[in-house]
Amino acid sequence: PGSAMAPGSTRTRCSRPPAPPPDPVGAVPGGPPPELDDFLRLYAAGRYWDAHEALEAAWRRSDEPRMRFLQGLIQWAVAFEHHRRGNARGARALLERSWSRLRTAPDGYMGLDLAPLRAAQPGLAAAFAAWEAGGPRPDVTPPPVARLPARP
């Protein structure tokens, strides 16, 4: 009794729950792999090969686009391992390959601050190319790869 709606009414009899908010920028279904923390710690310590090793299993068991991004991070780290070992060709090639996988990642993907990589990549690419062409080994500092600050 009394539950009939007037013709033309836009109210619904049952209310629906509000739609969930959109995923935050960089959200990844299932979240980032737990090995990412090990990668970040080892990379920050300058242990580029170990950082690569820490993330490799997660990369191999991932699907696109996550796989592409993780492979890019691995190759980014290995580029600096090649630099450390004096391998100009390897440093240039791995930086180039890594950037082909990382450049299209949205800001904050997997919760990472990609701005330092975006800012450093052109200069690093030029320095490694000049080195490979016979120039001096560049004195470069790898940019940080770190998580975005937590939002309040």
Side-chain angles (χ1 to χ4, degrees):
S3 64
M5 293 177 47
S9 173
T10 58
R11 286 186 39 204
T12 59
R13 190 168 156 198
C14 298
S15 64
R16 294 182 182 168
D23 285 341
V25 172
V28 177
E35 297 92 340
L36 184 58
D37 288 329
D38 290 334
F39 172 88
L40 296 173
R41 180 179 48 78
L42 292 163
Y43 179 91
R47 295 175 53 193
Y48 308 116
W49 185 258
D50 293 334
H52 146 264
E53 290 288 318
L55 206 50
E56 190 159 4
W59 161 62
R60 291 188 182 278
R61 70 175 181 263
S62 295
D63 294 324
E64 292 291 342
R66 183 177 169 144
M67 175 185 272
R68 182 175 178 82
F69 183 78
L70 294 175
Q71 186 178 27
L73 288 177
I74 288 167
Q75 291 172 330
W76 184 271
V78 174
F80 293 104
E81 183 63 25
H82 283 298
H83 176 265
R84 178 195 334 264
R85 294 181 182 186
N87 180 352
R89 182 171 185 252
R92 188 218 30 91
L94 268 291
L95 189 78
E96 184 178 299
R97 283 187 222 146
S98 73
W99 197 242
S100 75
R101 290 166 173 80
L102 297 174
R103 75 171 166 248
T104 59
D107 291 333
Y109 190 69
M110 288 197 191
L112 298 181
D113 182 1
L114 301 176
L117 278 67
R118 293 186 200 290
Q121 189 278 334
L124 290 167
F128 288 170
W131 181 30
E132 184 181 20
R137 181 178 177 176
D139 182 19
V140 299
T141 301
V145 179
R147 292 202 181 279
L148 286 168
R151 293 184 185 175

